[in-house]
Amino acid sequence: MKGATFPKIYNVYFLAIISTMGGMLFGFDISSMSAIVGTKQYLDYFDNPAGAYQGAIGSALAAGSIIGCLIAGPISDRFGRRDACIFSCLFWLAGTAVQVSTHSRGQLIAGRMLNGVCVGITSSQVPVYLAEIAKKNMRGSILVIQQLAIEVGILLMFFIGYGCSFIPGPTASFRTAWGIQFVPCIVLLIGLPFLPRSPRWLAKVGRVDEAIEILARIQAHGDQSDPEVITEWEEITTVLAAEREAPAGWRRFVKNGMWRRTLAGFSVQAWQQLSGANVMTYYIVYVFLMAGLTGNANLTSGGVQYALFIVFTLVTYLFIDKVGRRPLLIYGALGMAVCHFIIGGMLDRYGISVPGGVQGNANVLLRVEGSPAYTVIAFSYLMVIIYALTLAPIAWVYAAEVWSLETRAYGMSIAALGNWIFNFALGMFIPSAFRNIGGNTFIVFGCLCVGAALQSYFLYPETARKSLEEIEDMFRAGGPKPWNTKPGDSHLDAQMEEVVSRKASMVHDEGKLQV
């Protein structure tokens, strides 16, 4: 008996919006803590967790995401990108139920870890799905929707948490906020069956007719004779045949120049976290406490930051596929470094020690006043703007582009693993760092941003406006030096012109025969 089937929708933007609901789950879970960690109900019920305790709660999501990344590759290769996301939702539903019913720090950590397994799968496989369905000249803007969905989730959940903080009672506020996390997961589960499978995955598993049909529907309204469809299909099959001759197992990630792609995918995701993003997403409440913002003013200012995040990520649509990946990675990291150094300098030079913690918060032991406080707030916002325009979206785009078809599911899992390992480490590090080295925490992140810029310049070739198969040549031994690469120059354009000329010649010859 044949299972139920759902009608499929092939509009690329619709596919992106539905699939990136997985990113929204990530954003929801971030703000489910950032909006709540400073509330009286949370501090009283969980006995004012500080240092390593708060670090463990904050980083539990990342710990679960590491597990999710490790299992995502084999699940995605076996069942497909779309179905891997459906499977991941089961962990989110279970984790949210555990959080809503929590009675201890341990149960809260366990619930966040279960949510993390879901986020680890979706954060690694949604970019794979989007990269495999998008046209080369719009792949960047489509992949940016993943980061945008994360930010929308952060903003929505932040204000949901803020609103719920006014609910009376010892636990109703955070239980209600965490319970609302069921909603985006249910929407994702409803929408996923209407998405077609990735044509590149179908080609990989030998389902050729389905692959060609879906590729044509997505890229040419179903016209299988369209030159772009013919050219891209020829390249997919040629590259796939060559890749199947490559070494098996772990060696395929290091042999024949693959180590360059493995290093690029892993490190660009690691730098997204090492740039100091966690300070502003998980612990913005602490930073603004240091700057003298308390109570509702603190939470509202945090919400403004998340709104800026969304607005400036939307701006990247205007230039991401024109400017390219390299300039945004390099100059974004340098811009963030300047912000970190200024914030750290203000806190270190003008910080006033508060041994009991600002407003009793044991994680915030210093504050600044007057002009230094305004400077901290201003450069915190500026850093978020720079991050939203550059490293935040570009890290997801670049990591999804660098892999070959045979390695993409496992490879993106490796890349996302780089994100989540350092997300976990920094989630543990930041509360203790604020307690022990204060403003010098930002100096550390500033130095790391300089390292990110240097690696981007010397090791990351440009991938914008090139087919996924062309990008493979950029990383091969003897390929171009990264600093000599630029957006575009795709040979697919010339091949498409050749296909068009060939079809025109055939039509001309047929006309002659009829005469």
Side-chain angles (χ1 to χ4, degrees):
M1 185 175 175
K2 196 172 181 179
T5 59
F6 292 82
K8 299 297 184 282
I9 298 173
Y10 297 94
N11 180 276
V12 174
Y13 287 101
F14 176 84
L15 305 185
I17 290 168
I18 294 298
S19 59
T20 55
M21 289 295 292
M24 188 175 287
L25 297 181
F26 176 19
F28 260 62
D29 207 80
I30 288 174
S31 276
S32 74
M33 293 307 300
S34 62
I36 287 170
V37 291
T39 62
K40 186 177 186 301
Q41 298 97 319
Y42 175 85
L43 294 174
D44 289 347
Y45 190 77
F46 293 103
D47 195 24
N48 196 5
Y53 281 116
Q54 181 56 46
I57 294 171
S59 61
L61 174 77
S65 296
I66 292 172
I67 298 170
C69 287
L70 292 173
I71 65 175
I75 293 172
S76 182
D77 270 353
R78 175 68 180 84
F79 299 104
R81 312 344 181 180
R82 185 197 66 187
D83 291 359
C85 294
I86 294 174
F87 172 72
S88 72
C89 290
L90 301 178
F91 290 95
W92 184 270
L93 296 174
T96 300
V98 171
Q99 286 184 72
V100 171
S101 61
T102 187
H103 292 287
S104 66
R105 295 176 180 176
Q107 187 175 346
L108 176 58
I109 290 170
R112 284 177 58 74
M113 284 189 69
L114 285 170
N115 279 14
V117 175
C118 169
V119 171
I121 296 172
T122 57
S123 66
S124 62
Q125 298 312 305
V126 168
V128 169
Y129 180 75
L130 296 179
E132 291 185 346
I133 64 171
K135 294 182 179 182
K136 68 181 190 320
N137 61 343
M138 61 187 297
R139 191 172 57 243
S141 59
I142 291 295
L143 280 162
V144 164
I145 296 175
Q146 164 77 353
Q147 179 63 32
L148 186 63
I150 294 172
E151 293 162 10
V152 169
I154 291 172
L155 180 68
L156 289 176
M157 192 61 196
F158 187 87
F159 281 109
I160 288 169
Y162 173 65
C164 289
S165 68
F166 295 100
I167 298 175
T171 67
S173 60
F174 56 78
R175 291 189 197 279
T176 302
W178 293 340
I180 292 173
Q181 293 181 114
F182 282 117
V183 176
C185 184
I186 292 171
V187 173
L188 178 61
L189 274 173
I190 292 171
L192 282 171
F194 295 94
L195 272 56
R197 296 183 182 276
S198 159
R200 284 176 166 86
W201 177 79
L202 289 168
K204 183 176 182 292
V205 297
R207 293 161 63 173
V208 173
D209 292 340
E210 287 180 77
I212 295 172
E213 180 186 355
I214 292 174
L215 183 67
R217 284 181 175 271
I218 291 174
Q219 301 212 359
H221 306 290
D223 181 6
Q224 296 185 15
S225 64
D226 182 86
E228 188 169 2
V229 174
I230 293 170
T231 304
E232 190 150 346
W233 179 251
E234 288 175 351
E235 187 159 31
I236 289 171
T237 53
T238 300
V239 171
L240 185 56
E243 287 173 358
R244 284 174 172 159
E245 301 299 320
W250 65 268
R251 291 178 299 168
R252 59 183 166 161
F253 294 102
V254 294
K255 294 286 187 179
N256 300 327
M258 271 301 299
W259 67 270
R260 294 182 180 87
R261 281 186 269 184
T262 302
L263 176 63
F266 182 90
S267 61
V268 75
Q269 286 280 291
W271 285 126
Q272 190 196 53
Q273 293 302 312
L274 291 170
S275 67
N278 262 346
V279 179
M280 295 302 160
T281 52
Y282 285 99
Y283 298 114
I284 188 64
V285 170
Y286 294 169
V287 177
F288 284 166
L289 273 178
M290 294 178 193
L293 294 177
T294 59
N296 290 337
N298 186 309
L299 290 174
T300 303
S301 299
V304 170
Q305 174 214 236
Y306 296 134
L308 288 172
F309 219 151
I310 292 173
V311 169
F312 284 94
T313 297
L314 281 170
V315 172
T316 61
Y317 279 97
L318 302 176
F319 57 77
I320 185 171
D321 284 314
K322 296 176 183 177
V323 173
R325 321 305 188 220
R326 278 175 53 82
L328 297 177
L329 289 169
I330 295 167
Y331 293 114
L334 292 175
M336 289 185 70
V338 171
C339 294
H340 276 303
F341 289 140
I342 292 173
I343 294 169
M346 291 294 105
L347 292 173
D348 187 56
R349 175 68 178 83
Y350 299 104
I352 302 167
S353 177
V354 184
V358 178
Q359 284 202 318
N361 192 313
N363 291 294
V364 185
L365 302 180
L366 66 85
R367 72 170 187 269
V368 289
E369 300 173 342
S371 296
Y374 300 140
T375 303
V376 168
I377 294 169
F379 278 90
S380 293
Y381 282 145
L382 180 59
M383 180 160 59
V384 166
I385 290 171
I386 295 171
Y387 181 65
L389 288 170
T390 58
L391 269 71
I394 301 303
W396 291 109
V397 173
Y398 198 80
E401 290 177 325
V402 299
W403 305 101
S404 65
L405 179 54
E406 275 290 291
T407 62
R408 191 164 293 127
Y410 280 87
M412 190 59 202
S413 293
I414 292 171
L417 193 62
N419 186 299
W420 291 113
I421 287 174
F422 287 100
N423 189 305
F424 172 77
L426 294 173
M428 291 290 293
F429 165 77
I430 290 170
S432 296
F434 280 158
R435 284 174 57 86
N436 292 293
I437 62 174
N440 288 321
T441 304
F442 292 92
I443 303 299
V444 171
F445 284 122
C447 294
L448 289 170
C449 284
V450 173
L454 289 172
Q455 182 173 359
S456 298
Y457 181 82
F458 287 108
L459 294 180
Y460 295 166
E462 184 57 69
T463 58
R465 303 206 306 275
K466 303 179 191 296
S467 74
L468 293 176
E469 290 68 33
E470 283 180 291
I471 291 170
E472 298 195 32
D473 293 330
M474 310 293 291
F475 287 94
R476 293 191 190 280
K481 299 297 184 185
W483 52 88
N484 290 330
T485 58
K486 61 182 181 179
D489 292 337
S490 172
H491 70 247
L492 278 188
D493 297 329
Q495 289 179 355
M496 278 190 286
E497 289 179 10
E498 185 181 329
V499 171
V500 172
S501 299
R502 197 163 62 229
K503 288 178 68 178
S505 177
M506 290 172 63
V507 171
H508 182 264
D509 290 344
E510 287 175 3
K512 278 187 175 182
L513 287 173
Q514 289 174 357
V515 173

